[in-house]
């Protein structure tokens, strides 16, 4: 992004219009207006967090002797290496100021999405899913497809209903995504029974085959049966392990996602079923028995953030948070500590952030499913962080290659 600060040096208020006059082929430049919103009562201040996409007809009113910001989102995905240019015209009445932008795109490819996954817990609709994908979100938690157990003589047939699931998966086709399937499949009997295993085997056979046909391979699917079981105590941990054994008996090698904290003995039991660990972000750099254990298992290491340790005061006070620490550098920090995925609670679940709400969890401004997403500085910082982490990983791999020239 490119930030333009517009200062009104006159004694009268001014209305400014921003127009992308020209851009190199394939270069997409979208102006955004930085707007102010109130924080919650705990912070009781104003922040310039939302970034509202502008058209040529949209004007920004700038009071006398005040400054407003225009944020230029520049998408280089469709341009090749080389120098690319854009001209942005800023008009106020008869006056026009032009800003010339030149970008050099290097002949360099970031590491793939597997190098740094991003998971935003979200409410999905026609606006949120494209925006999530555009910002590098590649992990999508979604409820398991519904199924019906049909008695057929002495046999039981499992019929999976993909009708609702299909509408969710369709916009993901063609993208490198990873699905976390939440919940326990209801297959007509209690999941603890021995007879549940063959039913689950049939169910998972159908689900994995259906997803594979749509370009989502089985290695990009994990069961996210329960959330943060360590924090719920030993009964929850043992229940998860018991279900995991059933799942692995039904489909050896199926991945199971385990998130949250807990005590070392809990993780030692969960190791039997875990394919992906996802401890809280603040745990990553700890030299503790828990983290040393997690780092030395065969499971992948991801992380997620719902604690917001940079918030002041601590808690869900995120609009005015330390942007660099909490969002801009988080994926880079995670890569440094061996993680290959990050996440945040949350994307758009909760009250509208245009108002002073107590819980400032949502990272975008989204009031209803039929209304477009308004991005934020925080959300843009997350995208930049994930991309930088993928650059760091690619450079690290290149430097470790013995064939790389020292020159």
């Amino acid at each position: 992004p490119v930030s333009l600060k517009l200062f009104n040096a006159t004694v009268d208020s001014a209305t400014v219009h921003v127009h992308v006059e020209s851009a190199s082929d394939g270069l997409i430049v979208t102006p955004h207006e930085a707007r102010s919103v109130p924080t919650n009562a705990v912070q009781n201040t104003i922040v310039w967090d939302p970034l509202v996409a502008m058209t040529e007809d949209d004007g920004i009113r700038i009071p006398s002797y005040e400054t407003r910001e225009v944020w230029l989102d520049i998408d280089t995905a469709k341009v090749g290496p080389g120098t690319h240019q854009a001209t942005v015209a800023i008009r106020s009445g008869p006056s026009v100021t032009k800003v010339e932008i030149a970008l050099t795109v290097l002949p360099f490819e970031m590491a793939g999405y597997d190098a740094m996954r991003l998971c935003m817990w979200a409410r999905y609709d026609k606006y949120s899913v494209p925006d999530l994908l555009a910002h590098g979100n590649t992990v999508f938690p979604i409820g398991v497809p519904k199924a019906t157990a049909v008695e057929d003589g002495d046999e039981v047939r499992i019929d999976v209903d993909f009708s609702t699931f299909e509408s969710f998966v369709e916009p993901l086709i063609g993208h490198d995504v990873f699905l976390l399937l939440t919940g326990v499949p209801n297959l007509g009997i209690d999941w603890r029974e021995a007879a549940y295993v063959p039913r689950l085997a049939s169910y998972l056979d159908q689900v994995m085959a259906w997803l594979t046909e749509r370009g989502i391979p089985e290695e990009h699917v994990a069961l996210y049966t329960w959330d943060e079981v360590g924090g719920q105590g030993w009964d929850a941990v043992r229940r998860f392990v018991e279900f995991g054994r059933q799942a692995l008996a039904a489909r050896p090698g199926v991945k199971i996602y385990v998130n949250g904290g807990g005590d070392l003995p809990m993780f030692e039991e969960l190791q039997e079923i875990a394919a992906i660990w996802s401890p809280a972000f603040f745990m990553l750099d700890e030299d503790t028995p828990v983290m040393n254990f997690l780092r030395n298992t065969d499971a992948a290491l991801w992380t997620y953030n719902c604690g917001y340790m940079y918030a002041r005061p601590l808690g869900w006070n995120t609009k005015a948070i330390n942007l660099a620490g909490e969002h801009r550098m988080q994926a880079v920090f995670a890569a440094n500590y061996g993680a290959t995925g990050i996440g945040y609670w949350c994307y758009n679940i909760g009250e509208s952030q245009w108002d002073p709400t107590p819980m400032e969890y949502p990272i975008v401004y989204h009031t209803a499913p039929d209304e477009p997403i308004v991005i934020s500085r925080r959300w843009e910082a997350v995208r930049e962080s994930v991309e930088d982490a993928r650059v760091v990983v690619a450079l690290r791999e290149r430097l470790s290659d013995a064939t790389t020239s020292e020159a």
Side-chain angles (χ1 to χ4, degrees), residues 2-8 16 18 32 34 48 60 62 66-72 90 97 99 377:
V2 173
S3 173
L4 303 178
K5 303 297 194 301
L6 308 181
F7 176 65
N8 180 8
V16 174
V18 180
H32 292 75
W48 298 82
I60 303 176
I62 308 177
E66 291 192 17
T67 300
R68 294 293 183 266
E69 181 184 14
V70 171
W71 180 287
L72 300 178
I90 302 170
T97 298
V99 178
R377 292 181 190 275

Side-chain angles (χ1 to χ4, degrees), residues 23-29 74-80 84:
S24 299
D25 288 345
L27 197 68
I28 302 173
V29 182
I74 304 178
D75 185 351
T76 61
K78 296 182 179 180
V79 300
H84 304 275

Side-chain angles (χ1 to χ4, degrees), residues 228-310:
E228 299 179 340
V229 292
Q232 300 173 43
W234 270 107
D235 287 347
V237 169
R238 291 182 176 125
R239 178 186 63 179
F240 199 178
V241 172
E242 186 180 357
F243 177 82
R245 288 170 178 162
Q246 294 281 76
L248 288 165
R251 193 172 188 85
V254 68
K255 291 186 176 182
I256 298 175
Y257 170 89
V258 180
N259 70 328
D263 301 322
L264 178 60
M266 293 177 172
F267 288 108
E268 289 173 336
E269 286 208 19
L270 288 163
Q271 181 188 11
E272 179 184 344
I273 66 168
I276 302 171
W277 299 117
S278 189
F281 177 72
F282 65 82
M283 297 171 62
L284 272 190
D285 67 340
E286 293 177 347
D287 182 14
T288 60
V290 166
M291 283 309 304
N292 290 333
F293 174 78
L294 297 184
R295 292 187 192 101
N296 287 289
T297 67
D298 292 331
L301 181 63
W302 294 1
T303 185
Y304 72 108
N305 191 342
C306 66
Y308 295 100
M309 304 302 286
Y310 284 95

